[in-house]
């Protein structure tokens, strides 16, 4: 469904994209962030940053209306992702989309969302991720095998081969890049595969809740996700569902990721990314 949605929305967006490209070439940018957007945005990338990507791109496009919410037409049931007549649609219809409670926060949280992927998925899973849920994150980058600033996707190099059995090495490189470039720009950092889906409104409301806000102030770092505890193993959060670090936890990871505590050279079958992360 999301792949069909990506294809249809990409076709619809092409005229707007051409207009935006023309405007940029003429020296203006129509995709300026809204004044009320609660984000401290960095300066535009300059020539020295030619190999970096803009993490605010998808959210800025969303705020400007060039990535609209076009999931389903409830009136006629013809939307690409119309599911109300199917079992999974009936289940999804019971999920309430929440809004943060202003009384429970000092300032809105800033959420960075990252996915690990590869170039062959740019036109499918990655595009669907951007057009559906990742556009609602304050920042979004796909960490891939190919550089593409229009997504945005960053080519992440790492030790060992590009394979599922070597995911820890790819994750290490991703987290090191995130910490080096985005630690001061966001409060929360989400990482997972290109097949996960988040209701960002609900995620934001949870991270903005009084419970989590208090824990952030009193803890040395938070590591959130779907908890697993297989027999004889450490407790860890599922990689498939994605997991989150707050800025304190990311700083701890940054300071230890190249030490023996974090298995900096380990590779091979059975070395699961998420269990080592735990």
């Amino acid at each position: 469904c999301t792949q069909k949605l990506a294809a249809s929305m990409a076709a619809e967006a092409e005229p707007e994209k051409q207009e935006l490209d023309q405007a940029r070439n003429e020296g203006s940018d129509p995709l300026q962030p809204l004044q009320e957007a609660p984000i401290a945005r960095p300066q535009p990338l300059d020539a020295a940053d030619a190999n970096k990507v803009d993490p605010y791109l998808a959210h800025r496009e969303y705020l400007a209306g060039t990535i609209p919410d076009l999931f389903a037409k409830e009136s006629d049931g013809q939307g690409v992702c119309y599911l109300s007549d199917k079992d999974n649609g009936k289940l999804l219809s019971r999920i309430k989309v929440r809004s943060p409670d202003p009384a429970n926060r000092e300032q809105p949280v800033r959420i960075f969302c990252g996915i690990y992927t590869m170039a062959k998925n740019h036109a499918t899973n990655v595009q669907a991720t951007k057009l559906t849920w990742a556009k609602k994150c304050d920042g979004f980058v796909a960490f891939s095998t190919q550089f593409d600033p229009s997504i945005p996707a960053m080519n992440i190099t790492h030790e060992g081969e590009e394979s599922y059995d070597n995911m820890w090495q790819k994750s290490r490189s991703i987290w090191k890049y995130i910490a080096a470039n985005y630690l001061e720009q966001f409060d929360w950092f989400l990482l997972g595969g290109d097949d996960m889906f988040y209701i960002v409104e609900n995620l934001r409301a949870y991270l903005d809740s009084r419970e989590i806000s208090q824990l952030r102030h009193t803890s040395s770092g938070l590591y959130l996700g779907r908890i697993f505890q297989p027999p004889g193993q450490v407790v860890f959060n599922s990689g498939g569902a994605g997991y989150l670090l707050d800025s304190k936890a990311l700083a701890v990871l940054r300071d230890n990721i190249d030490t023996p505590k974090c298995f900096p050279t380990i590779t091979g079958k059975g070395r699961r990314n998420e269990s080592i992360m735990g």
Side-chain angles (χ1 to χ4, degrees):
C1 166
T2 51
Q3 291 179 10
K4 289 192 293 182
L5 178 63
S8 64
M9 290 183 66
E12 293 174 2
E14 185 59 30
E16 289 85 352
K17 181 178 183 299
Q18 293 176 0
E19 292 178 4
L20 294 172
D21 291 341
Q22 180 180 355
R24 290 192 182 100
N25 292 335
E26 294 174 352
S28 63
D29 187 353
L31 295 183
Q32 293 300 318
L34 299 181
Q35 293 299 317
E36 65 269 26
I39 300 173
R41 300 185 186 279
Q43 295 298 315
L45 301 179
D46 56 29
D49 297 313
N51 293 323
K52 292 185 179 181
V53 295
D54 180 2
Y56 301 101
L57 176 65
H59 192 57
R60 191 166 65 244
E61 291 177 340
Y62 175 56
L63 294 177
T66 59
I67 310 181
D69 287 322
L70 296 174
F71 288 96
K73 301 175 182 177
E74 297 293 342
S75 59
D76 57 16
Q78 299 302 311
V80 175
C81 291
Y82 186 80
L83 297 172
S84 294
D85 60 339
K86 300 179 177 63
D87 288 342
N88 52 353
K90 294 175 182 177
L91 178 61
L92 287 171
S93 69
R94 300 177 66 88
I95 298 176
K96 295 181 179 180
V97 178
R98 301 167 56 196
S99 298
D101 182 357
N104 292 341
R105 58 183 181 178
E106 296 177 1
Q107 62 181 19
V109 295
R110 302 165 298 172
I111 304 173
F112 174 85
C113 299
I115 59 173
Y116 39 79
T117 187
M118 55 187 64
K120 70 176 185 178
N121 290 347
H122 282 193
T124 53
N125 291 29
V126 177
Q127 184 76 340
T129 296
K130 175 182 176 178
L131 295 181
T132 53
W133 65 270
K135 63 189 180 185
K136 298 180 181 180
C137 302
D138 301 303
F140 165 68
V141 173
F143 296 99
S144 184
T145 55
Q146 180 175 305
F147 178 77
D148 186 346
S150 69
I151 292 176
M154 189 68 197
N155 179 20
I156 290 292
T157 59
H158 54 81
E159 294 184 24
E161 61 183 3
E162 182 73 22
S163 72
Y164 179 79
D165 290 334
N166 197 39
M167 274 305 301
W168 174 236
Q169 288 301 325
K170 184 165 186 170
S171 294
R172 285 185 67 250
S173 292
I174 291 172
W175 280 120
K176 290 171 72 171
Y177 183 90
I178 292 173
N181 291 278
Y182 307 138
L183 178 60
E184 303 300 326
Q185 298 179 33
F186 302 96
D187 305 304
W188 289 95
F189 303 86
L190 167 68
L191 183 63
D194 62 11
D195 56 352
M196 66 181 184
F197 185 92
Y198 270 76
I199 301 174
V200 178
E201 295 90 339
N202 290 2
L203 175 64
R204 190 180 298 278
Y206 177 62
L207 298 178
D208 256 335
S209 67
R210 181 172 301 171
E211 173 194 5
I212 299 301
S213 296
Q214 290 177 344
L215 285 173
R216 284 196 70 209
H217 284 297
T218 58
S219 74
S220 58
L222 294 179
Y223 166 50
L224 307 179
R226 171 67 171 87
I227 296 176
F228 279 3
Q229 188 175 16
Q233 296 188 35
V234 299
V235 178
F236 62 89
N237 288 320
S238 167
Y243 54 89
L244 293 112
L245 302 178
D246 71 349
S247 54
K248 290 181 182 179
L250 178 56
V252 172
L253 180 62
R254 175 201 60 194
D255 295 341
N256 289 276
I257 201 165
D258 286 326
T259 72
K261 297 178 182 178
C262 293
F263 304 96
T265 61
I266 200 167
T267 60
K269 191 173 181 61
R271 307 302 184 182
R272 293 183 61 85
N273 159 44
E274 58 263 49
S275 60
I276 297 176
M277 185 69 186

